[in-house]
Amino acid sequence: MKKILVKNQVEGGKVAFELLKESLAAGAQTFGLATGSSPIALYQEMVESDVDFSEFYSINLDEYVGLSPEHDQSYHAFMKAQLFDTKPFKESFLPDGMAEDLEKAAKDYDDVLAHHIIDLQILGIGSNGHIGFNEPGTPFDSQTHVVDLTDSTIEANSRFFASRDQVPTKAISMGIASIMAAKKIILFAYGDKKADAIFKMVKGPVTEEVPASILQHHPDVTLILDQAAAAKL
Ligand code: GLP
């Protein structure tokens, strides 16, 4: 894994945008996108750039179950506000967290993934080592699936909701196998709350208890970290 230390998220966004432009120059068509606070500076760079994304595809990692695309904390709404409203893609895919048949929605998402190879996947990381919403214990060969969110993830994400009991308890997430199929991966981590997960991901054993540790087996991962997140390395 390649590590790039940055001063802050703004610098991390600029570094990632340069890597994204390299991918574009190399012929990338499909971008795997993530939510959370860590990729926001990259989206800001994309929004402020003169790059036209309307011939490209985006595929997001995950969506909460039970939040409509109009709900301000849905990942549909997040992506619209952060990126798609100003930089529309040819097609943007997110899992359907409102589907009556969630298992079918997960299968449908795997069909999307089967038709689009992700050239560049953007990731954040949960403080428990999750990627997407693949919580500890998720099989490494998983495909898109319905997830019961862990208490620590609900707690961490409650900062975006009026109260903890408004945080959805389930999500649909792209599986670890699909993330690993991306040709190139950029993972952002900022702040001391991520230091333990970053240490385990980079230096610990590859174990399903730390979903991000599988990235040790991926041939092209770049970590963009601030000093606090890299502190235990
Ligand atoms: C959520 C998302 C993840 C994200 C994580 C970390 O749980 N499902 O994709 O990586 O939060 O978020 P942040 O970047 O805000 O720390």
Side-chain angles (χ1 to χ4, degrees):
M1 286 190 235
K2 192 173 160 199
K3 298 172 210 72
I4 301 179
L5 268 190
V6 294
K7 279 201 298 288
N8 51 37
Q9 301 198 19
V10 172
E11 189 186 328
K14 290 187 195 301
V15 169
F17 186 54
E18 291 308 311
L19 295 173
L20 185 146
K21 283 194 289 190
E22 279 174 24
S23 287
L24 282 172
Q29 303 262 309
T30 302
F31 294 89
L33 301 180
T35 54
S37 53
S38 306
I40 288 178
L42 167 62
Y43 300 151
Q44 197 60 41
E45 290 292 322
M46 292 166 75
V47 162
E48 287 167 7
S49 76
D50 54 9
V51 180
D52 176 5
F53 289 94
S54 63
E55 289 305 314
F56 299 99
Y57 296 90
S58 71
I59 304 186
N60 262 79
L61 286 166
D62 46 15
E63 177 57 288
Y64 288 115
V65 166
L67 295 192
S68 77
E70 290 73 40
H71 189 291
D72 63 351
Q73 290 308 322
S74 74
Y75 289 167
H76 280 78
F78 175 97
M79 289 308 302
K80 231 169 112 12
Q82 297 297 333
L83 186 61
F84 300 151
D85 274 349
T86 18
K87 291 286 182 185
F89 283 62
K90 184 168 189 178
E91 245 183 307
S92 286
F93 300 98
L94 283 98
D96 179 4
M98 292 297 282
E100 259 176 49
D101 185 343
L102 292 170
E103 298 300 333
K104 182 176 178 302
K107 259 204 106 298
D108 290 348
Y109 213 60
D110 283 334
D111 288 342
V112 169
L113 289 162
H115 287 98
H116 299 270
I117 294 166
I118 295 177
D119 294 292
L120 175 63
Q121 175 68 55
I122 304 301
L123 290 178
I125 185 170
S127 49
N128 63 1
H130 75 228
I131 45 178
F133 267 136
N134 293 286
E135 297 281 30
T138 306
F140 283 151
D141 63 358
S142 54
Q143 308 236 282
T144 308
H145 57 118
V146 180
V147 179
D148 288 318
L149 299 175
T150 62
D151 278 347
S152 77
T153 298
I154 292 170
E155 182 62 38
N157 290 3
S158 65
R159 68 189 195 276
F160 299 115
F161 292 82
S163 65
R164 193 182 194 279
D165 59 8
Q166 291 183 13
V167 186
T169 56
K170 286 180 189 291
I172 300 189
S173 181
M174 194 193 279
I176 293 178
S178 310
I179 293 172
M180 286 295 283
K183 289 190 195 157
K184 188 178 178 65
I185 295 176
I186 295 175
L187 183 145
F188 296 106
Y190 303 111
D192 56 1
K193 287 199 178 75
K194 302 292 170 72
D196 197 43
I198 291 299
F199 173 75
K200 288 179 177 156
M201 171 181 74
V202 176
K203 298 264 166 94
V206 175
T207 163
E208 289 175 351
E209 289 315 306
V210 182
S213 65
I214 190 67
L215 298 176
Q216 291 178 29
H217 290 174
H218 191 284
D220 190 349
V221 177
T222 301
L223 308 179
I224 297 182
L225 310 169
D226 68 1
Q227 194 66 50
K232 295 192 176 173
L233 292 181

